[in-house]
């Protein structure tokens, strides 16, 4: 029996660079109120959201991804040709095939990098980060580009009072590469498919195609059920990720949860008993819920504003449709 040669990867992996792109158009709550019976005060008190960004025709999923990725690659100090794999998490690229990752890889100028899309909703960035870490350590790619990107304005029902104000567009990207020390902790991830009805697309594409429904499919959710699950169950997952990384809440510098809702973020901070010294990402206020893009966008903003710094220890956790989740501890680039 022949023996397969072992892979030669890096002992560990880390995030080397981060980049983000927010569409030019800023949409205040007043615009949302044109189609739903609500108020600016109600939206802010329920979600913390003041504005969000919506993409124009030129700001496609691919175009936003290329912009964010270019910044991440430059931040990492490498060239696009060194990228060995491109992983894109999105639920709002409307071509079933080919994967938008292949278009992005080509436009960036990678050297025929492996490229594929994943669909893991708001946990998608965590899933992609975990896959990237495995590729770097295993040796199938020295540098991996992980992108979270959404055009959720295309999937928003502006007449749905429960969701019309929630979603925004944007792209966030990180470069994962080799490291001599551990800078990405073990991932605590999973799914609870029995709760899949709490966040979902209203109807399948085929129902719209076949004329069974006149309204274009949109994202809908059971707000209270999602809130309870996120607050109580995801706090447990976050604690498991801290334990898996061998650190305590007191040793944490930054907390970057999925930017779903500021009330959820506040409740998680309280449940985890995070000290006041921990910087908490609140990008949701001006960016809204951008699903897979929310964590890298929040990370990029914290570093750009100086609210977090290179070398800080951060807990990141994403959770959403599926229901799926992923949490890990990372060192910021």
């Amino acid at each position: 029996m022949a023996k397969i040669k072992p892979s030669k990867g890096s002992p560990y992996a880390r995030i080397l660079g981060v980049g983000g792109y927010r569409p030019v158009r800023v949409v205040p709550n007043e615009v949302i109120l044109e189609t739903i019976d609500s108020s600016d005060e109600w939206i802010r008190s329920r979600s913390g959201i003041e504005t969000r960004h919506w993409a124009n025709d030129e700001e496609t999923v691919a175009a936003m991804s290329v912009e964010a990725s270019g910044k991440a690659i430059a931040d990492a100090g490498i060239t696009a040709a060194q990228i060995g794999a491109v992983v894109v998490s999105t639920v709002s690229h409307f071509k079933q095939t080919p994967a938008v990752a292949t278009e992005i890889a080509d436009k960036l100028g990678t050297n025929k990098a492996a490229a594929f899309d994943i669909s893991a909703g708001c946990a998608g960035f965590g899933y992609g980060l975990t896959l990237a870490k495995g590729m770097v350590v295993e040796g199938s790619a020295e540098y991996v580009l992980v992108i979270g990107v959404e055009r959720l304005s295309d999937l928003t029902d502006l007449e749905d009072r429960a969701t019309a104000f929630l979603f925004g567009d944007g792209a966030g990207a990180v470069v994962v590469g080799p490291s001599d020390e551990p800078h990405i902790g073990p991932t605590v991830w999973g799914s609870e498919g029995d709760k899949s009805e709490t966040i979902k697309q209203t109807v399948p594409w085929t129902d719209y195609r076949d004329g069974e429904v006149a309204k274009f499919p949109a994202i809908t959710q059971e707000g209270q059920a999602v809130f309870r699950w996120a607050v109580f169950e995801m706090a447990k997952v976050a604690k498991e990720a801290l334990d898996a990384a061998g650190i305590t809440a007191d040793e944490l510098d930054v907390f970057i949860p999925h930017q779903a809702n500021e009330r959820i973020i506040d409740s998680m901070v309280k449940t985890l008993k995070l000290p006041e010294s921990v910087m908490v990402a609140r990008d949701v206020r001006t960016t809204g819920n951008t699903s897979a893009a929310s964590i890298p966008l929040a990370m990029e903003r914290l570093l750009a504003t100086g609210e977090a710094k290179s070398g800080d220890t951060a807990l990141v956790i994403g959770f959403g449709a599926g229901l799926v989740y992923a949490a890990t501890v990372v060192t910021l680039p």
Side-chain angles (χ1 to χ4, degrees):
M1 181 182 293
K3 291 184 177 181
I4 297 175
K5 186 178 180 181
S7 300
K8 292 184 178 180
S10 172
Y12 305 103
R14 71 170 298 162
I15 299 173
L16 299 173
V18 61
Y21 180 82
R22 292 171 175 80
V24 174
R25 185 187 178 193
V26 177
V27 180
N29 289 337
E30 285 73 20
V31 172
I32 307 300
L33 296 175
E34 295 174 2
T35 52
I36 61 171
D37 180 16
S38 188
S39 68
D40 178 63
E41 190 278 330
W42 187 90
I43 292 174
R44 292 184 188 228
S45 65
R46 291 281 176 166
S47 67
I49 298 173
E50 302 167 9
T51 62
R52 73 284 293 145
H53 294 255
W54 284 354
N56 60 33
D57 291 344
E58 287 72 40
E59 292 167 321
T60 63
V61 165
M64 292 190 294
S65 296
V66 169
E67 290 292 330
S69 298
K71 295 174 184 177
I73 291 168
D75 192 42
I78 65 170
T79 65
Q82 292 175 273
I83 297 292
V86 177
V87 183
V88 177
S89 178
T90 186
V91 298
S92 49
H93 175 58
F94 288 162
K95 286 185 179 178
Q96 192 71 37
T97 192
V100 71
T102 59
E103 179 184 349
I104 295 165
D106 177 64
K107 287 184 174 179
L108 287 171
T110 66
N111 185 21
K112 299 181 180 179
F116 58 94
D117 299 349
I118 59 175
S119 176
C122 305
F125 176 74
Y127 275 51
L129 184 64
T130 302
L131 294 173
K133 173 187 173 182
M135 283 186 268
V136 171
V137 172
E138 186 269 341
S140 57
E142 185 176 13
Y143 298 101
V144 180
L145 179 65
V146 180
I147 303 165
V149 57
E150 302 291 4
R151 271 184 56 125
L152 293 181
S153 58
D154 292 332
L155 286 168
T156 298
D157 180 355
L158 293 178
E159 297 178 346
D160 181 0
R161 189 173 184 272
T163 61
F165 60 90
L166 285 175
F167 303 120
D169 304 336
V174 298
V175 172
V176 178
S179 173
D180 292 329
E181 297 179 352
H183 287 289
I184 301 176
T187 300
V188 177
W189 57 354
S191 65
E192 297 185 33
D194 60 312
K195 299 179 180 65
S196 61
E197 290 296 301
T198 56
I199 306 174
K200 64 179 183 179
Q201 184 172 306
T202 49
V203 295
W205 300 115
T206 48
D207 285 6
Y208 182 75
R209 179 198 66 188
D210 298 340
E212 295 180 26
V213 294
K215 203 167 190 177
F216 192 75
I219 296 173
T220 186
Q221 69 175 31
E222 299 173 14
Q224 287 302 313
V226 173
F227 182 87
R228 289 192 297 270
W229 176 77
V231 169
F232 297 109
E233 298 303 321
M234 291 305 96
K236 296 175 186 176
V237 171
K239 180 61 168 59
E240 289 178 33
L242 288 174
D243 292 341
I247 71 169
T248 65
D250 291 338
E251 296 175 291
L252 205 58
D253 298 308
V254 185
F255 179 42
I256 311 177
H258 164 49
Q259 302 293 292
N261 179 309
E262 194 165 35
R263 290 174 63 210
I264 291 175
I265 294 171
D266 289 341
S267 296
M268 291 183 72
V269 168
K270 184 177 179 180
T271 303
L272 288 168
K273 298 179 180 179
L274 296 183
E276 292 185 5
S277 60
V278 175
M279 172 55 61
V280 179
R282 300 183 185 279
D283 194 43
V284 67
R285 293 174 178 171
T286 56
T287 306
N289 179 343
T290 56
S291 189
S294 79
I295 290 176
L297 277 174
M299 182 184 295
E300 185 262 350
R301 174 160 282 173
L302 287 175
L303 289 167
T305 60
E307 295 172 281
K309 62 183 185 300
S310 175
D312 278 353
T313 300
L315 169 63
V316 299
I317 178 169
F319 44 86
L323 294 170
V324 294
Y325 56 87
T328 188
V329 175
V330 303
T331 302
L332 296 183

